[in-house]
Structure formats: structure tokens, C-alpha cells
Amino acid sequence: MSWGPITPARIDFSDPLAPAAPDYADHYHSRSGAWGQARHVFLGGNGLPGRWAGRRRFVVLETGFGLGTNFLATWAAWKADHQRPQQLWFVSVERHPLRRADLARALQGCPEPDLAAALLAAWPPLTPDLHQITFEQGQVRLLLALGDIARVLPELVLQADAIYLDGFKPASNPEMWGPRQMRGLHRLAAPGATLATWSVAAALRDGLLSAGFEVHKAPGFAAKREMTVAHFAPRQRAAAPAGRLPCLASLDSGPGATPQVAVIGAGLAGAAAAQALAVQGVAVQVFERHDRAAAEASGQSAGLFHGVVHGQDGDHARWLRAAALHLAQELAPWLLTGELPGAIAGLWRGESRLDLAEMRALLARQGLPEDFVQAHARALPNGANAWLYPQGGWVSPAALVAAWLATPGVQAHFGVAVDALRPLPAGGWQVCGNAHRPLAQVDAVVLANGPGLPGLVPNNLAQTWQLRTSRAHASLLPAASWSTLPALPRPITDRGYVLSLADGSLLCGSAADDSHGAAPSRAADQARDLSTLARLTGWPPPAEMANLADQVLAGRSGWRLACADRLPLVGPLPAAGWNGPGQRLDQPRRVPRQPGLYVLSALGSRGLLHASLGAQVLASWLTGAPLPAPASLIDAVDPARFVARQVRRGGAA
């Protein structure tokens, strides 16, 4: 379910001490100071920073991001505390986020200008998504959920150690403080969680009591005499669904032995998984059968990234939009410094079915902002209409894989094939190589070995996934071969792609074909690629281009694995006994799992996009951190989704 459309905040800055929200007849903070209010009410009311001392991870949930003051104050307290947790996760819901210009104005005079500047630089397009923004080399993470709290709160998957309730006053914003929202906190609060808010409304207190909180009044901030604090102490609590239980939940507690995880495969999926896990404090060993990383489809010269626009804004469109925005945010520092070949300078995606008026109507209906996507008439060199994705672009997949594998905590083993996985009696897995030679004993395994996936999946589970293989090819044209043609400032994609690389060469690729096992023909591949180039650009074939058909161009092909629904496999594998009696299996999250066995695979033609966000979801799923995607999208990529679909359609589980 989409959270959109998003309506940005309207702010009245006429009172510099207290910006106002005219639509809610309220102010964003006390005239006595936003920073002081954040420290007294939300940090002090939750016993911070003292309560997070010695923790590996601490999670804050906030209702109402507003001007970002509470986040910045919490981040500043984390930086100043020598006993701070290794990771600070701050999850915040906002129905009316600020435009970048308004946020810049609101943050003028912030006591922490460097933190404010970092937040402003990372501010995302205002799309109805769960945006993960990382700071401090991934040790501070902001999950910014843009949408109505009534839709967003049921979709969050997390356990909050501290809760900040900070919406506009209940009288003018009752949806934020309603009993349904308060009851929703029961599911999201960790054992022993605390809560604080400036409000002392009776309905709020009653709602918290019904949600399992012990509620008290405390001295308020400035002119406000009292505020509310609470402690989560429910009499009973429903168990988490079987498919959502983390394998390495101990990471959420104090210092202990470092968990060990094996990742099978060193392509985009494996490298992304290794990096995401290592940043969360896991020791990772990567096993790759080839003598180098990115030896198969992930070794292409360039990979494109961009979102999509679909009429219904369904799971596929929402996942790809979130994945594209996440990847752009992750790549930006590397591309800015030149550490990776690539660029975020916009990307064209051809549109042949809709005219310009229909394209613009679709954007207006979904409320998608111009810094995410724009509609343009006759924008492509061939005269076709196109979508412009300003934060789209390209990067070298092979270079990105190398950067991910260089993350501290990742150890890669090349030329080592994994032939079998054995469950250990005390838990965990033994990874075995040739002749079942033991290679490692680990707490969990992530299968990221592309087309080789079915060979390591137990119990013939892969047969339920509707897997398909396809072959993709691209040709590289040296700069000298097209020097008389027009410039190509942005990549173009539409059933194939073309882009100009940093060295002036041109890369063009055709859509993947399904020639299962057929012997590849370099001449036929090259002809398709050149045909795609001509179709996307409309360039007349000058003599030098015509001669290319008679040359042997540099090129690369690779096999890709995908599911029939074009979404990846991300998460823990279903257990062998998932079809036991009395089980509700109509939702993927309810399907029991094989302990410690995970998959990140079936990335298809959008491997670059799926790998990055999929790895972040996988790492949080495995460790018990907040999941950086809504529950409905987690269900959409869950390996157990095919079981649930079969049950819903009336088949035997």
C-alpha cells in the first residue's frame, strides 16, 4: 500500500523564535528554544544518554520529525558520550516533511552546524517511502518514514528502546495522538522501553495505559508545568511472527562474541550483503568459486540505477523507487571524490505508451516531486518522450563490488567453491568445499551465488521460487569510433540502454534474452546492441558506425537469475516443516524458517538496485535492527512469499 501522495509542510517563519504550522494552528517548538525542549523533554524524559551506555545498538522511534531538532540533539548527545552505543538508529515518521529550502532556513543558527549541514546535504526527495540516511560511517542511521502515521506505523518493523511523541497538539492533530496509534506502540516497543512527550492530555495517557505503559507526570519544559513520561511494562505480549525473528538478536545487547556469517558469492549481491553485515558489527567471510570478485554478470563496465513510475504505485514500483534513492545516497560520497567510476547526473527512460499530458497527470496523481522524476516531451535523440530521473545515473559494478568487499570486517576467499552446507547440532552452519572439506563454522549463511543458488538450497525449496535465467550482453564502442556523433550527456534506457563512460567510450546493451543454454553468438549479440543504440538515439548511421558491424567490439555477457514476479529473494529461507498443522501461512511473515540460512539472490536485470537495498534489509533482518523497508515490501521480497501465495489461492501449503 502506497503512503502517498506527500504534501510538503507549510511553515510560517514570521516569529523567528517559534516557526508555526498554519494548517495545524500550532508551533513546531516552544519559544523558549527547540534545542532546550529536545534535551529536557525527549532526551531527559527517556533517561538519555545514560540508558544507552554500553549498548551495541540503541533505537529511537519518533512520531513527528518536524524541523529535525530532536534527531540532531540526539545525534549530538551520541557524539559527545564516551559510553555511547556502537550504533544509533533513529526512526521518525513525518506526514508533511519540509522542502529542502525550508529545512535550510529552519536550521539556521543550529547549535550543531556541522550536523545540521550533514542532514541538509542528505535530505531526500519527498517521496512516500522509508528513506534510510546514514551518518558517521553507518554508525548513526536515520530512517525517515514519509507518510500518514495511520499508514506508516503498522508497516514499521523494529523494537524501539526510546519513544519520542512529538506531533502538533492533540486538539488540532488528533490522528497523531489517537488510541489506534498508541496501541500500535505496543508492538514497536522493546522490553523496558521508555517514552516521553510534552503533552499531558488525558486521552493520550489513557491510550498509553491501554498499550502496556506505566504512565507518570514529570516537570515540563520552560512555561509548561508538566509533561508525560512512561515505561513499557505490558502484562502480556504477542510473539513476533516466525518469519521476522532475527538470527543474531544478541547484537542488540551489550558487548559479547562477534557473530560470524558466511556469504556465498562475491558478485553484487554477495559484496553488498558482506558490507551491510560488517557495518552492523558482524564478522563476514565471503567464499567465491572464481579467482576474483564480480567474475560473472556483476563485472559489467557500467550499471544503471533509477526508479520507475507505475500507475498503481504497487510493490514493484515502490521497491525500485526506494532502492534507487538509497543507492544514490550511498554512492554520492564515492562518486563525488572519484573513488568509483560513475556519475549521478540524471538518466532518461523512454516512454512510448503515454503522451506528455498523461505522464504529467500520473505524476500529479501520485504527488512525486521533480527532484525524483520529471516528464519531458521529445526528450530523447530519437524524438521520444521520456522520464527524467535527476538522481539516476551509473556506476561501475565491478568497482563497487571491490569497494564493498574492502569494508573492515570482511574477509574474502577466492577460488574456493562451496559444495555443501551442514547444520550444526548446537546451532549454526558448517560451510564445506570440495569433497565436503570443512571451510568454516558460522552462525549464519547468506546464499548470494546467483545461478548457482538452487544447488545449495535444501529440500528442493528452489522449485517453489519460479526461477528463470536470462543472458544479457553489452558492447563497448571506443571513443574514436563515434567521434562525429552528438554528445550523450545522460544515460538512456528503454528495453536496452546506452551511456557514455568517463573515458569517452560508449556502452550499449540490449534487453536480456532467454536463450536458455544456447551457445552465445558474439556477432548476433553485437548486432542487437548496435540496433539498440540506433533505436534509442535515432542517430543516422555514419560510415564509421556502419563499419562497426564488421568489427569485433569489446563486450561482455552474463547469466542472470530472476523470479517470475521480477522481485528479488531477500531474507531467511522457509523451514523444511513449514506446512505443519494449524499454522496460518497466508502471509510470508508467518512461515517458519530454517535457522541461520538466508538468501539474497534472483536480482535479474536490476541487480545493482536490488543488491544495495536488499542487503540493508537482509542485514537488519538477520541482526534484529530496524528494517529499512515497510512490512508490505518485506513481504513482497520474502523467500516465503510463494508459499503464502499458494495458500491464499487455496492450494496446499
Side-chain angles (χ1 to χ4, degrees), residues 303-360:
L304 304 182
F305 55 92
H306 61 92
V308 297
V309 179
H310 288 173
Q312 301 303 316
D313 202 29
D315 291 342
H316 190 261
R318 294 167 60 216
W319 172 268
L320 289 178
R321 180 173 65 234
L325 292 173
H326 167 76
L327 183 60
Q329 194 259 353
E330 181 178 8
L331 292 178
W334 281 336
L335 297 180
L336 183 64
T337 60
E339 294 178 67
L340 291 179
I344 302 177
L347 176 145
W348 294 110
R349 179 177 173 86
E351 175 56 72
S352 58
R353 293 177 297 177
L354 303 179
D355 61 29
L356 183 62
E358 292 170 325
M359 294 168 70
R360 289 178 173 171

Side-chain angles (χ1 to χ4, degrees), residues 39-55:
R39 285 174 169 168
H40 178 89
V41 176
F42 299 106
L43 285 159
N46 280 284
L48 301 177
R51 282 189 57 240
W52 65 35
R55 295 283 296 273

Side-chain angles (χ1 to χ4, degrees), residues 254-553:
T258 301
Q260 307 283 323
V261 173
V263 175
I264 315 302
L268 279 166
Q275 185 270 349
L277 286 164
V279 171
Q280 291 208 31
V282 176
V284 183
Q285 294 189 67
V286 179
F287 296 93
E288 169 56 54
R289 65 187 182 93
H290 293 285
D291 60 1
R292 66 190 187 281
E296 298 187 23
S298 298
Q300 189 57 269
S301 301
L304 304 182
F305 55 92
H306 61 92
V308 297
V309 179
H310 288 173
Q312 301 303 316
D313 202 29
D315 291 342
H316 190 261
R318 294 167 60 216
W319 172 268
L320 289 178
R321 180 173 65 234
L325 292 173
H326 167 76
L327 183 60
Q329 194 259 353
E330 181 178 8
L331 292 178
W334 281 336
L335 297 180
L336 183 64
T337 60
E339 294 178 67
L340 291 179
I344 302 177
L347 176 145
W348 294 110
R349 179 177 173 86
E351 175 56 72
S352 58
R353 293 177 297 177
L354 303 179
D355 61 29
L356 183 62
E358 292 170 325
M359 294 168 70
R360 289 178 173 171
L362 176 57
L363 294 184
R365 185 167 66 251
Q366 295 188 4
L368 296 175
E370 289 191 349
D371 52 352
F372 170 67
V373 63
Q374 303 168 19
H376 291 264
R378 298 180 297 279
L380 300 189
N382 63 7
N385 296 342
W387 303 103
L388 173 62
Y389 292 91
Q391 295 202 26
W394 69 276
V395 71
S396 164
L400 179 58
V401 166
W404 277 336
L405 291 177
T407 303
V410 176
Q411 182 181 10
H413 307 275
F414 298 111
V416 180
V418 174
D419 290 345
L421 302 171
R422 294 175 177 169
L424 297 172
W429 291 84
Q430 184 180 70
V431 180
C432 300
N434 293 332
H436 296 282
R437 176 174 59 91
L439 299 173
Q441 291 190 7
V442 294
D443 299 298
V445 176
V446 176
L447 301 176
N449 53 333
L453 174 68
L456 289 178
V457 174
N459 307 314
N460 297 318
L461 178 63
Q463 296 179 7
T464 70
W465 287 339
Q466 304 174 25
L467 295 173
R468 301 174 178 178
T469 56
S470 62
R471 193 173 62 87
H473 187 274
S475 296
L476 188 66
L477 287 63
S481 67
W482 62 289
S483 58
T484 63
L485 297 174
L488 194 67
R490 294 189 177 104
I492 301 173
T493 179
D494 181 11
R495 293 174 292 114
Y497 61 89
V498 56
L499 72 151
S500 177
L501 302 181
D503 62 0
S505 58
L506 201 70
L507 185 71
C508 57
S510 48
D513 67 77
D514 296 322
S515 50
H516 302 284
S521 166
R522 173 169 291 197
D525 287 336
Q526 184 171 300
R528 281 196 299 271
D529 295 339
L530 294 177
S531 175
T532 298
L533 171 64
R535 174 175 57 83
L536 292 179
T537 63
W539 289 338
E544 58 185 13
M545 286 290 289
N547 293 336
L548 289 175
D550 300 323
Q551 301 177 24
V552 177
L553 300 173

Side-chain angles (χ1 to χ4, degrees), residues 600-624:
L600 176 57
S601 191
L603 307 188
S605 62
R606 295 182 179 269
L608 190 60
L609 280 185
H610 291 321
S612 182
L613 181 57
Q616 296 297 322
V617 168
L618 179 96
S620 288
W621 204 334
L622 202 151
T623 63

